[in-house]
Amino acid sequence: MPASFLPSGRSLVVGLALIAFAVGAYAVARETSMFAVGRIEIAGGSPEVKQQVRQALAPLIGTSLLGLDAGSLERRVESLPTVVAVGYDRAFPHTLRLTVVPETPVAVLHRGADTWLLSGRGRVVARIPLGTLLGLPRIWVPHATPVAPGEFIDPATAGSAARALALAQAAHFPARISTAAILHEELLLRLRSGLELRLGAPADVRLKLAVARRALRGLPAGAAYLDVSVPGRPVAGTQPSSLR
């Protein structure tokens, strides 16, 4: 390389000094209140969810935006029973901005006289008073079923039913659903009209709901159930099962 293109000794010293200064300034900013978190802005979720997130992140107030631990922040927020995921951004000098994806309640879970709000992922969101949220479908589980906020219900008992209800909600299923259950490893929904919808094994639920949607339009009078467990061959009948 020609000598004219080589940096001079003085340029190297100045460059190294600038790098050292930048590193030192960054270290100082991390350890001082220069960029301390003073405000948390939250997008997404209900006012209650936002308040829960603020409480979970209260220990971060006063800490440096530069020193935020992304993994720790996500764990704090996503451990909340009401939250699916969170994203964040630093708005210097003092604001932490969050985008929250909340759990979507789809059913009320019953275990004896105890009731909980259940999300579309089969996660227990919160314990609620008996007899509330009457507009949501009901799911019953045996007394021995472990239930705790933040935990996921076993698919074999209620988790698959919750996910089916979430798919029905997302697809704007035209009939209102009263109850859901897994009986003998098969998924059954009871509509508010009293009609029982049999979906068979909890697989291909989206397709089965689409078939049921079409079949409901031509359902014969007096039908007690609609069986779409074989999507290509829906069957209607007059004998309901023991679904409560």
Side-chain angles (χ1 to χ4, degrees), residues 172-174 195 209-221 226:
H172 303 288
F173 193 70
L195 181 77
L209 288 171
V211 171
R213 185 186 192 111
R214 293 195 299 270
L216 284 173
R217 299 171 188 160
L219 203 64
L226 173 62

Side-chain angles (χ1 to χ4, degrees), residues 39-204:
R39 177 182 174 83
I40 297 177
E41 296 180 354
I42 303 172
S46 66
E48 292 78 11
V49 171
K50 291 177 179 178
Q51 181 59 28
Q52 291 170 9
V53 172
R54 286 195 177 90
Q55 290 176 350
L57 297 183
L60 297 185
I61 296 295
T63 63
S64 174
L65 280 171
L66 292 173
L68 280 179
D69 182 334
S72 175
L73 184 150
E74 291 170 355
R75 286 190 295 273
R76 281 177 182 269
V77 178
E78 293 173 9
S79 65
L80 294 171
T82 52
V83 174
V84 175
V86 64
Y88 80 95
D89 187 25
R90 301 176 178 91
F92 293 100
H94 301 297
T95 301
L96 176 62
R97 290 178 178 159
L98 305 175
T99 301
V100 171
V101 179
E103 292 281 2
T104 301
V106 297
V108 173
L109 182 72
H110 285 253
R111 189 186 65 184
D114 298 322
T115 53
W116 291 266
L117 195 59
L118 193 63
S119 83
R121 298 195 302 152
R123 191 183 191 190
V124 181
V125 176
R127 188 164 184 165
I128 58 175
L130 183 66
T132 57
L133 299 175
L134 298 178
L136 287 178
R138 264 47 187 171
I139 299 176
W140 277 265
V141 293
H143 285 275
T145 304
V147 181
E151 298 299 320
F152 287 86
I153 293 293
D154 184 353
T157 56
S160 294
R163 284 190 278 276
L165 291 173
L167 289 173
Q169 186 180 94
H172 303 288
F173 193 70
R176 296 187 67 186
I177 299 170
S178 175
T179 61
I182 299 291
L183 292 179
H184 309 298
E185 300 182 353
E186 296 193 344
L187 177 61
L188 298 99
L189 307 178
R190 173 164 286 167
L191 308 185
R192 291 291 175 93
S193 65
L195 181 77
E196 182 179 293
L197 185 57
R198 302 177 183 178
L199 283 79
D204 299 320

